[in-house]
Amino acid sequence: MHAIDYFLPNSTEKQETLRISSLHALAYCPRLFYLEEVEELYTQNAEVFAGRRLHTELEKQEDEDWEDLYLESEELGLRGRVDALRTRDGQTIPYEHKRGRCHRDENKQPQAWDSDKLQILAYCCLLESALGIVVSEGRIRYHADNVLVTVPLDDEGRNAVREAVEKARSIRQSLHRPPVTENERLCAKCSLSPVCLPEEARLSHDKEWQPIRLFPQDDDRQILHIPEAGTAVGRTGEQLKITRRNQPIEKVAIGQIEQVVLHSFSQISTQAMHFCAGRGIGIHFISGGGRYIGSFDSRQGSIQRRIRQYQALSQPETCLELARKLVSCRGGGQRKFLMRGLRGMKVKSAKLERAITQMKSILKQIPKTASIDSLLGVEGSLGALYFGALPCLIQPDVPPELHFSGRNRRPPKDRFNALLSFGYALLIKDVINAILTVGLESALGFYHQPRSQAAPLALDLMEIFRVPLVDMPVMAAVNRGQWDVAADFEVRGSQVWLSDGGRRKFIGLYEQRKAETWKHPAMGYSLTYRRLLELEVRLLEKEWMGEGGLFAQLVLR
């Protein structure tokens, strides 16, 4: 018997081979294939881990008739590891194991799902091409209903594999993601739905669509803050080891950590940095004075995402439209916060009422702004009114040391501004973490210009969250009497900073606030602020991918 000729006529140069599992993704959803194979994004959900456990158990149960085999064929353009091979009567048969149930035809007869069928056919073709043998069939075991389905390999099957390889190569050359699948039922089981956001994409095209929350559940991992100078973070086994001065060593399992935030002159070893980077754990640095310094960027892949970002944000009209949405969101949130405070007053403040009225008038000018420069002027006017009226929300019984007369930046000149500055440093750190998680370029924004250590895109996105994540919690804590004007602050001449104890207290309040939920006004489902940060970055990316309209909708009610 002669081996089948798999030469592809249009392949004139050597190309990287494709993983056979990627053809399974291609048949399931071309967009899933693109996310995994082009943007190199992988999100592992419970079903993925369950599938791995199944294969581990099968490996332990294999007898002498079974073997797994890794093969690669440049001629066919495929590579992969067959789950199991069995040889009977001179016939080599590849097997695939699936955790779920098989498909049933109209007569209730067991059949392979299309994506599974393509995958086993590809393994059959790979065996023929790499080993020079003829394979007549492949088999798929569906363990949920204990069904074995046989898939014959014929010329039609070989052509299907060849066409799938050509289609996959074509998609890999594109800078554009394929559209969301029309079969929304596939999205509910997809491990990459939190990255793809298919329901949000459908909502952007159909405002009557009722989206299902496919974005991941709230992350219960901790953000590990190291506020004490002289503390060292290292690695021991699968744990991070925290060594503080004159205190017992603390160990935290790596699976319980989402970020490591190093304040002041705390340190982290290179082994711990490599460990965290390999697990996708963010590492961030904040100065002893509460200024955001920077983050460790360990991104790999996703260059297509940044290319699309560069292309979109190089267009002045795109930047202006996004900036309008941003300023409207922040200004609207500031005004709503002032309105909340006004409603709770027994004696109304005339200054507060005037500011709210004037801000409403200025907000109406935003859609008419013709340039970023004019929009900066509008934002400046809104900010001046907001921070001029914000002191009106402080309760009369609050100690005078915690009152303030307006916003001043670094160095803070009063306790209230010290709280705001430290809060904004924590916020920009979280926004940077979300940007790195998504895979965008923080140095390329659409509104703010590059300055100091703050990346423009992070400055842009943090505008959405300043009021709910910093201004509101700070005001609430001040009015509740949660700050000790002596112990929580350090006064150095005209400068005021948070003390070590004050920073620890603020970190606790801030992380508690991030754990609270907010019902998204556009999507209609509730998320913690912690999750909303990442979601907002993903919604921004959709603005230049033909799925926009949901960015910067988080305005207080």
Side-chain angles (χ1 to χ4, degrees):
M1 300 182 75
H2 300 286
I4 305 299
D5 181 12
Y6 281 102
F7 177 73
L8 299 178
N10 58 348
S11 298
T12 59
E13 59 183 36
K14 184 177 179 180
Q15 300 187 56
E16 181 184 357
T17 55
L18 295 161
R19 297 181 305 116
I20 283 183
S21 58
S22 74
L23 295 188
H24 183 277
L26 178 70
Y28 189 85
C29 171
R31 187 172 172 114
L32 172 62
F33 169 86
Y34 190 89
L35 289 172
E36 289 187 341
E37 299 303 311
V38 180
E39 298 191 25
E40 300 178 4
L41 301 173
Y42 303 94
T43 301
Q44 298 172 338
N45 61 9
E47 292 190 0
V48 172
F49 287 112
R52 287 184 179 177
R53 287 194 297 271
L54 170 64
H55 284 83
T56 300
E57 292 167 2
L58 290 171
E59 289 173 4
K60 295 178 180 178
Q61 298 171 8
E62 288 176 2
D63 58 33
E64 66 277 4
D65 297 321
W66 294 80
E67 60 176 325
D68 68 347
L69 184 65
Y70 176 83
L71 296 170
E72 183 171 15
S73 168
E74 292 183 2
E75 184 181 43
L76 185 58
L78 291 174
R79 68 182 187 275
R81 184 180 299 278
V82 187
D83 276 0
L85 290 176
R86 194 169 192 177
T87 303
R88 282 288 184 270
D89 301 324
Q91 295 291 319
T92 300
I93 303 171
Y95 283 73
E96 266 294 298
H97 292 275
K98 300 297 179 182
R99 192 178 64 89
R101 298 181 180 277
C102 67
H103 172 61
R104 301 277 178 171
D105 61 18
E106 60 275 8
N107 298 318
K108 305 299 182 182
Q109 295 301 307
Q111 304 289 334
W113 296 98
D114 289 343
S115 54
D116 298 338
K117 182 179 179 180
L118 179 63
Q119 184 177 19
I120 195 64
L121 288 174
Y123 278 123
C124 291
C125 293
L126 180 59
L127 286 168
E128 289 189 331
S129 177
L131 302 182
I133 63 175
V134 174
V135 178
S136 61
E137 66 181 43
R139 298 177 182 177
I140 305 172
R141 169 72 68 182
Y142 289 96
H143 287 260
D145 44 14
N146 194 27
V147 167
L148 182 66
V149 176
T150 298
V151 180
L153 176 65
D154 51 21
D155 288 342
E156 182 180 351
R158 295 185 180 95
N159 288 333
V161 172
R162 185 181 292 109
E163 291 171 1
V165 171
E166 292 177 348
K167 181 179 179 180
R169 285 175 169 168
S170 175
I171 292 176
R172 287 184 68 169
Q173 299 303 313
S174 176
L175 288 177
H176 305 286
R177 285 182 188 170
V180 169
T181 177
E182 294 181 1
N183 184 358
E184 64 267 21
R185 289 179 299 177
L186 297 177
C187 303
K189 298 181 179 180
C190 178
S191 64
L192 279 181
S193 58
V195 174
C196 174
L197 296 183
E199 289 290 287
E200 290 77 3
R202 295 182 180 103
L203 180 62
S204 71
H205 295 297
D206 180 5
K207 299 306 178 185
E208 301 301 318
W209 186 267
Q210 298 295 318
I212 302 168
R213 176 180 169 179
L214 299 179
F215 200 66
Q217 295 298 314
D218 300 325
D219 197 338
D220 58 0
R221 295 176 299 167
Q222 65 173 302
I223 296 181
L224 185 61
H225 287 270
I226 310 296
E228 306 89 358
T231 301
V233 178
R235 176 188 179 180
T236 175
E238 293 296 305
Q239 298 174 312
L240 288 185
K241 179 176 66 175
I242 302 135
T243 306
R244 297 182 172 90
R245 291 174 179 172
N246 304 318
Q247 292 188 35
I249 291 176
E250 179 185 354
K251 296 179 182 179
V252 184
I254 195 68
Q256 298 176 1
I257 303 171
E258 181 200 359
Q259 297 178 36
V260 177
V261 187
L262 297 127
H263 299 255
S264 188
F265 293 105
S266 53
Q267 305 172 30
I268 184 169
S269 69
T270 53
Q271 293 88 344
M273 290 185 73
H274 280 284
F275 190 33
C276 291
R279 300 299 185 92
I281 295 171
I283 303 173
H284 310 281
F285 301 88
I286 293 177
S287 73
R291 176 173 58 85
Y292 170 75
I293 298 175
S295 301
F296 181 55
D297 183 354
S298 60
R299 288 174 301 175
Q300 297 178 359
S302 295
I303 188 62
Q304 288 78 11
R305 315 186 82 172
R306 280 169 270 168
I307 290 174
R308 291 193 295 262
Q309 180 187 357
Y310 293 145
Q311 291 176 334
L313 300 188
S314 297
Q315 305 299 319
E317 60 275 13
T318 300
C319 292
L320 179 59
E321 182 59 30
L322 290 173
R324 287 189 188 123
K325 293 181 179 182
L326 191 72
V327 174
S328 180
C329 178
R330 181 188 177 183
Q334 290 173 330
R335 181 173 177 270
K336 290 292 182 65
F337 182 33
L338 296 180
M339 291 174 65
R340 283 188 177 189
L342 182 65
R343 286 197 296 266
M345 290 182 176
K346 295 180 180 179
V347 179
K348 304 300 182 184
S349 166
K351 181 178 181 180
L352 189 55
E353 289 179 325
R354 273 196 311 274
I356 291 170
T357 301
Q358 291 174 320
M359 290 178 75
K360 181 179 181 180
S361 176
I362 294 173
L363 284 166
K364 292 179 181 179
Q365 300 175 19
I366 293 175
K368 305 172 187 176
T369 52
S371 68
I372 294 289
D373 287 341
S374 61
L375 194 59
L376 285 167
V378 171
E379 185 202 15
S381 299
L382 288 168
L385 287 167
Y386 171 70
F387 282 110
L390 194 61
C392 300
L393 303 188
I394 298 177
Q395 298 293 334
D397 58 347
V398 169
E401 294 90 345
L402 284 168
H403 285 255
F404 79 118
S405 59
R407 175 71 176 136
N408 64 75
R409 292 180 170 80
R410 298 188 174 276
K413 293 181 171 48
D414 56 63
R415 288 168 175 80
F416 199 96
N417 274 287
L419 293 169
L420 290 180
S421 294
F422 187 59
Y424 294 151
L426 294 179
L427 175 57
I428 198 168
K429 177 270 300 181
D430 280 327
V431 172
I432 286 282
N433 190 77
I435 291 171
L436 294 177
T437 298
V438 172
L440 298 185
E441 176 53 67
S442 60
L444 183 62
F446 54 87
Y447 183 46
H448 288 87
Q449 300 302 309
R451 61 179 177 82
S452 68
Q453 288 92 348
L457 188 62
L459 291 171
D460 290 346
L461 288 163
M462 72 180 291
E463 300 292 357
I464 297 171
F465 295 96
R466 283 181 187 264
V467 172
L469 278 181
V470 181
D471 299 3
M472 293 176 67
V474 166
M475 184 63 71
V478 166
N479 284 333
R480 291 189 190 120
Q482 292 180 263
W483 298 104
D484 186 317
V485 296
D488 292 334
F489 301 90
E490 294 180 359
V491 180
R492 306 171 192 167
S494 62
Q495 303 176 16
V496 181
W497 307 97
L498 281 166
S499 65
D500 288 346
R503 286 201 303 272
R504 282 192 291 269
K505 183 184 291 187
F506 193 106
I507 289 167
L509 292 171
Y510 177 75
E511 295 299 340
Q512 182 181 356
R513 176 62 169 172
K514 281 165 53 186
E516 296 178 12
T517 58
W518 189 1
K519 185 176 181 180
H520 198 288
M523 262 73 82
Y525 54 66
S526 295
L527 291 172
T528 62
Y529 288 101
R530 193 168 169 179
R531 275 297 185 197
L532 283 167
L533 287 159
E534 179 187 335
L535 177 62
E536 200 62 27
V537 181
R538 297 195 183 280
L539 293 180
L540 170 63
E541 185 184 24
K542 284 184 173 292
E543 290 292 322
W544 52 75
M545 297 183 65
E547 300 169 357
L550 302 176
F551 172 65
Q553 300 294 311
L554 293 171
V555 180
L556 294 175
R557 292 184 179 138

